[in-house]
Amino acid sequence: GDGYYMAVPAFVGHKKDMGRLKLLLTDLKPKSSYCLIFSYRLAGEKVGKLRVFLANKRTAPVWEQNTGKDERWRTGKIEIFQGAETTNNVTFESERGKGKTGEIGVDNVILISGLCPED
């Protein structure tokens, strides 16, 4: 259908260029579980990497993908366990690779209460 998604094209910019989308999370309850579900696509040879960071774990990504088997959209799931300190944002980060064609895309980002559903 008609719609929009966030994309980083491979043919614009330089190798290792970064793009970030920061989503603010408000009113998450301490000591609760949440599931972040999103659609993603890595299309093209050597297109780069897509990572997801949580605010309280910024040093290492909680999810990373660097290859696409094909150009199809896939579903990513991340379980967020809240302790006494709650997560207040999620950052999607794309890093351009050496490829000259393709793109990294993110769409349909949803946060639900509880554990992630099985496939």
Side-chain angles (χ1 to χ4, degrees), residues 2-72:
D2 292 339
Y4 299 94
Y5 62 95
M6 182 192 80
V8 175
F11 59 86
V12 176
H14 302 284
K15 181 183 156 192
K16 301 284 188 185
D17 274 355
M18 297 275 190
R20 290 186 185 89
L21 173 65
K22 187 176 191 176
L23 302 176
L24 300 179
L25 306 176
T26 58
D27 302 324
L28 296 188
K29 296 177 184 172
K31 300 182 182 176
S32 299
S33 298
Y34 294 90
C35 181
L36 180 71
I37 303 172
F38 56 96
S39 298
Y40 70 94
R41 180 172 87 137
L42 288 102
E45 188 177 339
K46 299 179 184 175
V47 71
K49 297 179 183 179
L50 176 63
R51 300 179 188 100
V52 180
F53 294 90
L54 298 179
N56 56 352
K57 296 180 175 68
R58 181 67 181 110
T59 57
V62 294
W63 184 94
E64 181 175 330
Q65 185 74 337
N66 61 11
T67 57
K69 296 174 185 150
D70 52 40
E71 297 193 2
R72 291 185 8 208

